[in-house]
């Protein structure tokens, strides 16, 4: 594959392209990570991700629900309890999360700040 | 970790957060993928990523150089030849790329389009 002839150029896989930008979209990877250990309430997710605000979290959760990565569960208690959890598709991102974490631990400085506000 | 008590909330790892948004930033994951099989010239990368344009590629390559993920090599030939290649830090993203690809193959529809134009 080190052949540089223009005639042999291949496009990268569009599914890979969609997937990497889906999970890497700002805040999304962080939100997915908060749900890896089990269901969370909205306020809990918010507290686990420094810099994330209500409006953006609710936008991201809706996108993740639309992609069938997150499921919203409503428990008819008083007061009503709402939790977000990963679907099978979402839980299967665990290996991606693990590899990103491994890479980050190896290559990023210990004091690396979240990407918040960098774009 | 299914304990819901507010007192026990932990922040997600800021290095993970930075890393996932670094590689998942629009076009960046795609550009990294094009270099996984060896050095490429600017025009080759461009051709491998449908929808990507000059200005954005050059911006992304500069960001990746600043993060020490990509190295720009100038060969003093006539005409001069310039190639981009992954550094060790960049090559070590291979396991991330592999896991994202595996997840995408499993969960995204075959005709999934690149995320281009979705944000």
């Amino acid at each position: 594959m080190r052949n540089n002839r223009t005639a042999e150029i291949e496009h990268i896989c569009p599914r890979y392209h969609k997937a990497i930008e889906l999970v890497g979209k700002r805040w999304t990877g962080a939100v997915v990570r908060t749900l890896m250990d089990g269901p969370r309430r909205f306020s809990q997710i918010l507290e686990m991700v420094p810099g994330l605000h209500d409006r953006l979290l609710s936008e991201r959760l809706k996108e993740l629900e639309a992609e069938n990565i997150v499921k919203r569960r409503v428990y008819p208690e008083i007061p009503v309890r709402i939790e977000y959890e990963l679907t099978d598709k979402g839980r299967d991102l665990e290996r991606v999360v693990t590899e990103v974490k491994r890479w980050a631990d190896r290559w990023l400085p210990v004091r690396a700040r979240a990407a918040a506000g960098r774009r």
Side-chain angles (χ1 to χ4, degrees), chain A residues 11-25:
Chain A
H11 291 163
I12 64 154
C13 171
R15 278 186 288 177
Y16 162 79
H17 192 179
K18 176 176 161 67
I20 188 87
E21 297 192 1
L22 187 65
V23 298
K25 186 170 178 181

Side-chain angles (χ1 to χ4, degrees), chain A residues 14 65-66 72 112:
Chain A
E65 280 181 79
R72 183 174 182 270

Side-chain angles (χ1 to χ4, degrees), chain A residues 13-74:
Chain A
C13 171
R15 278 186 288 177
Y16 162 79
H17 192 179
K18 176 176 161 67
I20 188 87
E21 297 192 1
L22 187 65
V23 298
K25 186 170 178 181
R26 197 166 173 207
W27 304 112
T28 299
V31 171
V32 167
R33 175 67 194 84
T34 66
L35 300 176
M36 277 291 161
D37 300 315
R40 299 279 179 194
R41 292 197 306 274
F42 190 92
S43 61
Q44 292 176 310
I45 303 172
L46 216 49
E47 284 177 292
M48 290 174 81
V49 185
L52 178 55
H53 298 293
D54 294 40
R55 192 182 53 79
L56 272 169
L57 175 54
S58 116
E59 202 178 280
R60 287 302 181 272
L61 285 168
K62 272 183 199 130
E63 290 164 0
L64 287 166
E65 280 181 79
E67 293 285 351
N68 189 30
I69 288 172
V70 165
K71 196 160 59 182
R72 183 174 182 270
R73 267 190 198 281
V74 182

Side-chain angles (χ1 to χ4, degrees), chain A residues 36 69 86-97:
Chain A
M36 277 291 161
I69 288 172
L86 295 174
T87 60
D88 290 345
K89 182 178 174 182
R91 267 191 301 274
D92 198 37
L93 282 168
E94 183 151 27
R95 283 157 69 172
V96 171
V97 168

